[in-house]
Amino acid sequence: MRVLIVDDSPTMQDIVSMTLKSADFDVLQAEHGHEALKVLETSTPDLIITDLNMYRMDGFEFVSRVRQQAEHEFTPILFLTTESSEDMKQIGRDLGATGWLLKPFDPVELLRVVKSILQ
């Protein structure tokens, strides 16, 4: 299974990537929404994990643009962010996000959620 990680923190990208690779996931990475949209032009991930607060294009705009593409209309999208307000979560759901996890995250919980989404 292939997962695209979208996060402007190289450290966070590395931590999430190592966690997923330890469970035999193929990992793609992008620094922000614009870069991730370019990745999606040539790759079809089974899941997208995105931060919310990123420069150039935030997570909400990225998810909105992904959902406009027919080939990614139903690709699961998981927000992994420090934002915890119910209003933000509702906006994410309204845009088509599948789930929401908070940073800092427990690697075991991340894998549990990812595997649950991909079943």
Side-chain angles (χ1 to χ4, degrees):
M1 300 292 258
R2 179 174 290 153
V3 179
L4 171 60
I5 302 166
V6 189
D7 199 303
D8 58 352
S9 164
T11 302
M12 186 56 61
Q13 279 188 36
D14 289 345
I15 293 169
V16 176
S17 177
M18 285 188 297
T19 300
L20 294 171
K21 286 180 179 179
S22 74
D24 294 324
F25 286 95
D26 182 27
V27 175
L28 304 168
Q29 296 179 339
E31 197 171 307
H32 48 74
H34 284 291
E35 188 175 301
L37 291 172
K38 291 278 187 201
V39 170
L40 292 175
E41 290 175 7
T42 58
S43 298
T44 305
D46 299 293
L47 171 68
I48 298 169
I49 298 175
T50 186
D51 190 11
L52 176 56
N53 299 311
M54 298 179 287
Y55 68 97
R56 293 197 63 195
M57 180 186 295
D58 71 18
F60 287 154
E61 183 179 349
F62 170 65
V63 170
S64 177
R65 298 210 18 211
V66 168
R67 289 298 184 231
Q68 293 171 10
Q69 301 175 12
E71 63 272 20
H72 300 295
E73 184 179 1
F74 299 109
T75 302
I77 300 174
L78 176 65
F79 273 103
L80 180 59
T81 180
T82 58
E83 295 289 341
S84 63
S85 80
E86 287 304 315
D87 290 342
M88 294 294 219
K89 291 177 185 179
Q90 187 59 51
I91 293 168
R93 282 190 293 269
D94 291 346
L95 291 172
T98 310
W100 194 283
L101 279 178
L102 292 177
K103 295 177 184 174
F105 68 94
D106 174 8
V108 172
E109 177 69 4
L110 175 65
L111 289 175
R112 186 194 67 71
V113 170
V114 166
K115 289 175 181 178
S116 174
I117 290 171
L118 293 174
Q119 285 183 342

